[in-house]
Amino acid sequence: MPVTRTIRLWSIAALCASAFALGGCSTQIADMPGLGLPADAPERPKEAGGYLPVHDLPPDRNEEAIKPAELAKIQSELTAARDRQATNSTPAKPAKK
């Protein structure tokens, strides 16, 4: 392997290693007052991250989602569609010769 290629590979390896090393320090650099945050940035919360309120349920509805007449109409349409598909999918019996 030529010397220039070896030097190029070592320099790329050193560049990648330094990028990974500096990448780990990015959060500390972002917290520095003169470098990371602009002057008009809002204050960060004291708590790093709270849990989302997954057990908070929305209030119950005052009215039904679907009125009973609409529900009966939808059910009858679905039943009719199912029956049509059932009759169309059964193969016709071949006529005897």
Side-chain angles (χ1 to χ4, degrees), residues 50-71:
Y51 292 107
L52 296 175
V54 294
H55 296 294
D56 291 346
L57 299 175
D60 291 335
R61 294 183 178 187
N62 293 333
E63 58 189 46
E64 296 178 5
I66 297 178
K67 295 180 180 163
E70 292 178 20
L71 182 62

Side-chain angles (χ1 to χ4, degrees), residues 92-97:
K93 293 181 181 178
K96 292 183 180 180
K97 293 185 180 180

Side-chain angles (χ1 to χ4, degrees), residues 26-50:
S26 65
T27 56
Q28 286 83 11
I29 292 172
D31 289 337
M32 294 178 80
L35 299 174
L37 296 174
D40 58 346
E43 285 291 321
R44 290 190 180 182
K46 299 294 180 197
E47 196 174 307

Side-chain angles (χ1 to χ4, degrees), residues 69-84:
E70 292 178 20
L71 182 62
K73 179 184 172 190
I74 292 170
Q75 286 177 345
S76 65
E77 289 175 357
L78 288 172
T79 304
R82 181 189 63 206
D83 293 340
R84 277 194 313 270

